């Protein structure tokens, strides 16, 4: 009898080991204690290293003559409640530093002061941030769209505010800019001479154009009339689509 129990236990443990987590296999980076939270997607370790949480975009705080975005204080407090004073492990998914020398990482809590938390994912699950994927740090973020969608459906965090309601392409105001989510219908495809841009997709009834970059090239095959959810940074009437997760066929 005990041999059978042992065999079942071994099989269970082996199966558990086979279920790799999203961060398994990625490069383990520095460890440190969080001594400061800058906003909902950035913090500072006791080593002096500043860290930008990858795969997410939290509401930005005030900067120079720019006002803070709605929910920026709440998002900062959300991350503080989870991370401040805790030991964390950085996990790298490609590019490790940005031009400001911030570490670009997934961040996990690793001490006994609270539950084990994957901070990037938790900010999405709690509505403290929206998904924003860059091709050079995309590894490990495969489930982020689902995390965001669940929070949006539940009306958590930013998703409870009119300011973050997904805009319809045909109703966009003239001053539409910065990081945004837009729903619309694919119109005509236009060529481009821009370096790194594979095609420009027009959205029916809108002046907004989706500039599809190399990392999202398969989306240039979308048929006219297909309804999509697009996310990206908007500047001068163009939204940059840099990763396949930036454009979701509906």
């Amino acid at each position: 009898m005990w041999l059978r129990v042992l065999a079942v236990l071994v099989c269970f443990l082996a199966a558990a080991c086979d279920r790799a987590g999203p961060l398994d296999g990625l490069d383990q980076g520095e460890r440190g204690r969080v001594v400061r939270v800058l906003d909902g997607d950035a913090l500072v370790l006791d080593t002096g290293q500043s860290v930008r949480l990858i795969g997410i975009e939290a509401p930005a705080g005030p900067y120079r003559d720019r006002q803070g975005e709605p929910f920026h204080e709440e998002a900062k407090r959300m991350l503080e409640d989870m991370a401040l004073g805790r030991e964390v492990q950085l996990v790298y998914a490609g590019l490790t530093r940005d031009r400001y020398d911030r570490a670009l990482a997934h961040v996990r809590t690793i001490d006994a002061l609270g539950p084990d938390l994957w901070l990037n994912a938790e900010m999405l699950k709690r509505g403290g941030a929206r998904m924003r994927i860059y091709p050079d740090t995309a590894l490990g973020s495969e489930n982020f769209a689902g995390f965001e969608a669940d929070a949006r459906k539940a009306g958590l965090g930013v998703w409870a505010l009119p300011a973050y309601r997904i805009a319809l392409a045909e109703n966009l105001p003239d001053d539409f800019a910065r990081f945004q989510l837009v729903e619309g219908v694919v119109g005509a495809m236009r060529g481009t001479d821009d370096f790194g841009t594979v095609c420009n997709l027009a959205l029916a009834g809108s002046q907004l154009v989706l500039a599809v970059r190399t990392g999202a090239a398969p989306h240039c095959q979308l048929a006219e009339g297909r309804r999509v959810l697009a996310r990206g940074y908007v500047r001068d009437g163009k939204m940059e689509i840099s990763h396949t997760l930036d454009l979701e066929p509906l």
Side-chain angles (χ1 to χ4, degrees):
M1 178 68 179
W2 66 270
L3 289 176
R4 182 182 299 175
V5 173
L6 180 60
V8 171
L9 180 60
V10 169
C11 290
F12 175 81
L13 292 175
C17 291
D18 288 340
R19 292 194 295 270
L23 303 185
D24 292 350
L26 300 185
D27 293 335
Q28 300 295 298
E30 303 94 314
R31 296 186 176 193
R33 182 169 58 87
V34 178
V35 294
R36 185 182 177 195
V37 170
L38 302 175
D39 55 32
D41 53 28
L43 49 81
V44 180
L45 304 181
D46 57 355
T47 61
Q49 179 64 57
S50 58
V51 183
R52 175 63 163 84
L53 278 64
I54 59 175
I56 67 174
E57 181 80 8
Y63 180 71
R64 295 181 179 176
D65 59 348
R66 186 184 70 194
Q67 292 186 338
E69 294 179 321
F71 206 79
H72 72 90
E73 292 181 353
E74 293 89 340
K76 178 181 177 181
R77 287 198 297 270
M78 187 181 295
L79 187 56
E80 283 178 337
D81 289 344
M82 291 189 287
L84 195 59
R86 298 199 61 182
E87 295 289 326
V88 297
Q89 169 81 60
L90 305 188
V91 180
Y92 292 122
L95 185 68
T96 62
R97 295 290 186 275
D98 65 11
R99 58 180 176 170
Y100 307 109
D101 198 38
R102 296 182 300 182
L104 302 174
H106 294 286
V107 184
R108 297 173 44 244
T109 58
I110 56 172
D111 57 26
L113 297 178
D116 293 339
L117 297 173
W118 177 9
L119 297 177
N120 314 53
E122 287 297 326
M123 288 299 293
L124 289 173
K125 292 177 179 179
R126 302 179 188 205
R130 295 171 289 176
M131 181 182 75
R132 187 176 186 183
I133 306 294
Y134 290 94
D136 49 11
T137 54
L139 295 177
S141 304
E142 294 80 8
N143 297 323
F144 279 14
F147 296 156
E148 181 194 86
D150 289 344
R152 189 165 66 237
K153 183 177 180 180
L156 301 178
V158 298
W159 305 112
L161 303 181
Y164 294 99
R165 187 173 299 141
I166 295 176
L168 296 178
E170 56 269 30
N171 297 332
L172 296 180
D174 293 337
D175 59 351
F176 194 72
R178 302 181 67 182
F179 182 73
Q180 303 285 354
L181 273 68
V182 180
E183 186 176 323
V185 174
V186 174
M189 184 177 71
R190 306 172 185 172
T192 176
D193 294 326
D194 296 341
F195 178 76
T197 301
V198 181
C199 69
N200 287 319
L201 294 178
L203 292 178
S206 174
Q207 296 299 312
L208 184 66
V209 172
L210 307 181
V212 180
R213 309 283 284 182
T214 303
H219 289 312
C220 290
Q221 305 303 316
L222 284 170
E224 287 189 45
R226 185 64 186 266
R227 194 157 196 88
V228 295
L229 174 62
R231 70 181 67 233
Y233 197 90
V234 179
R235 183 186 293 109
D236 299 328
K238 283 190 175 183
M239 173 184 284
E240 182 177 299
I241 305 297
S242 60
H243 189 273
T244 52
L245 289 175
D246 289 340
L247 193 58
E248 177 188 352
L250 301 176

